[in-house]
Amino acid sequence: MNRKLNIDCLDAQSFLNGLVFFAPVALLVRTAAGVSLAQFFRLEALLSLVVLLSEVPAGKLTDRIGLRNTLVLYQVALCLARVLLLLAYVRRSYPLFLAEAVVEGVAGSFHSGTQSAYLYRMFPGPAYLTKSARTANWGTVGFLLSTAAYAGLYRLAGLTGLLAATVLTSGCGIAASLGIRREPPQGLAEADGKPARRALGAALRRREALLVMVLLAALGVGRILINFFYADKLMACGVDETWLSPIILGYSVLELLAEGLLGRLNPARYRSALTAFLALGGGVMVAFALVNRVAPVVLLMLALPLVLDVPSYLLGEVQNRLVDDLGQTERRAELLSLWNMGVNVAEVAFLFGASLLSGAGAARCFCGLGIVLAVLGGCAHGMLKETIA
């Protein structure tokens, strides 16, 4: 199997997983089956808790069985979760919804950091960034197609049809994952002389790693604000919230430009690009908070997700380079999982801060986070000079 076919298989997996036909009515799938809003939030909390608790065990398993095998395992678990979701809806069974949340959480922990580590191993140098964006773009294409097909399929087969179609595409994703080529054996890294647990603890406390975790958490909270408060901003501007659907499709299409942008970056300028995009993202968020005219608000809505995507990809490069610098390549997946746990903890702290600001309105949250991103961008320029050029 040549590398081109391998790329196609990984992209195919991403595309098929992007075909989530029930995504526009994910909450309705639960409430229509008798799940209350309180129970829905408990399901989401359970999912997050399972991901958090299984991050490190999944990372350890990945380092034992290999990155490609874990990507297959992730796909099998994801398909099983979607089968359970279909059964839970059909049978109106809350215990099955609980089981689905647990299995989906385990699937998420298998995927967390694994794809990044796999791409870093298979596509060294500048190819890592462009390949990461390309794979994500195939998922976006799947999302766009499933969103476009949602209304017709819903009228034809209802919620059951949407769920069954998603199960089918997830099953096809298993076949695609089996075509992903195995990564080459990892060469032995230069040992640092520390016991494994102490070395990983030192990696977590390294200031560059702490900064990256905080940055990824801030970018994640930015995504949460987009998902929850775009509709509120439209209504504050006197625009009907039905505009949100075409805006979501619009910014999803623009996100496809990330691969081209990353491909044009000079590797010697990655640190400057990271700083620039973090500052730009902060500026866009502040402008979004302050502007109330419809046309500029819509333009900012369309631009912001792409502006947040680019530094996220660059930070993936930074994380993998830190693993190399620490001489922990044999435990790459476990270390990335530990850092992802740190990101989750930092994200909780950001969300708590946002909850304190939310009483004064969502605009304060966007403005505050924008300022934080810009400041952190300046810190990154100085603190990451030994990691990226």
Side-chain angles (χ1 to χ4, degrees), residues 29-363:
V29 167
R30 278 82 174 178
T31 56
V35 175
S36 67
L37 280 178
Q39 288 175 320
F40 172 76
F41 285 116
R42 284 196 286 271
L43 289 172
E44 293 300 300
L46 175 62
L47 190 154
S48 298
L49 180 62
V50 171
V51 171
L52 186 64
L53 294 178
S54 55
E55 281 274 13
V56 174
K60 288 178 178 291
L61 178 64
T62 298
D63 288 329
R64 287 179 176 272
I65 69 174
L67 298 165
R68 178 265 185 189
N69 289 340
T70 303
L71 289 173
V72 175
L73 195 58
Y74 152 71
Q75 190 63 44
V76 172
L78 181 64
C79 184
L80 176 59
R82 289 176 175 170
V83 169
L84 287 170
L85 183 61
L86 172 61
L87 292 175
Y89 171 74
V90 171
R91 297 185 180 183
R92 307 296 195 266
S93 170
Y94 187 64
L96 282 176
F97 279 115
L98 290 170
E100 185 274 334
V102 171
V103 175
E104 186 177 347
V106 172
S109 67
F110 284 143
H111 192 260
S112 176
T114 303
Q115 183 170 286
S116 174
Y118 177 84
L119 292 174
Y120 191 77
R121 179 86 63 85
M122 298 296 289
F123 302 91
Y128 163 76
L129 283 178
T130 54
K131 175 55 185 165
S132 296
R134 184 181 308 137
T135 302
N137 282 349
W138 277 110
T140 301
V141 170
F143 165 76
L144 290 170
L145 290 178
S146 62
T147 301
Y150 148 75
L153 186 58
Y154 186 34
R155 284 195 296 268
L156 182 67
L159 292 175
T160 302
L162 296 175
L163 292 167
T166 305
V167 169
L168 179 61
T169 55
S170 296
C172 292
I174 296 176
S177 69
L178 292 172
I180 298 173
R181 194 175 64 165
R182 295 181 186 275
E183 69 274 16
Q186 174 68 56
L188 291 177
E190 184 177 345
D192 59 7
K194 296 180 180 179
R197 184 172 298 180
R198 189 188 306 172
L200 292 174
L204 279 173
R205 294 190 298 271
R206 185 163 168 165
R207 65 172 192 167
E208 295 94 332
L210 292 172
L211 175 62
V212 170
M213 286 187 282
V214 172
L215 278 168
L216 286 172
L219 292 168
V221 172
R223 276 289 187 181
I224 292 173
L225 293 179
I226 288 171
N227 291 338
F228 283 95
F229 293 110
Y230 263 19
D232 287 348
K233 184 68 173 183
L234 285 175
M235 290 187 287
C237 294
V239 177
D240 192 274
E241 62 187 73
T242 56
W243 278 40
L244 187 58
S245 292
I247 287 173
I248 291 174
L249 293 175
Y251 73 61
S252 297
V253 170
L254 287 178
E255 285 180 296
L256 299 177
L257 299 175
E259 179 186 351
L261 287 173
L262 292 167
R264 288 176 171 81
L265 289 180
N266 183 341
R269 305 285 294 174
Y270 280 173
R271 183 162 51 97
S272 296
L274 176 62
T275 301
F277 271 95
L278 287 171
L280 178 60
V284 171
M285 295 192 85
V286 170
F288 180 77
L290 300 178
V291 174
N292 289 303
R293 294 175 56 194
V294 175
V297 163
V298 170
L299 290 175
L300 292 169
M301 283 180 164
L302 293 172
L304 183 56
L306 174 61
V307 173
L308 297 183
D309 282 348
V310 174
S312 296
Y313 290 124
L314 289 167
L315 289 169
E317 171 85 11
V318 173
Q319 283 187 308
N320 279 288
R321 289 197 189 183
L322 282 172
V323 174
D324 294 340
D325 292 345
L326 291 164
Q328 298 295 321
T329 54
E330 287 293 315
R331 295 191 289 272
R332 185 181 300 276
E334 183 181 358
L335 186 50
L336 290 175
S337 294
L338 281 169
W339 282 337
N340 284 334
M341 288 181 65
V343 171
N344 292 335
V345 172
E347 193 168 291
V348 169
F350 273 115
L351 288 172
F352 179 74
S355 70
L356 296 178
L357 290 175
S358 62

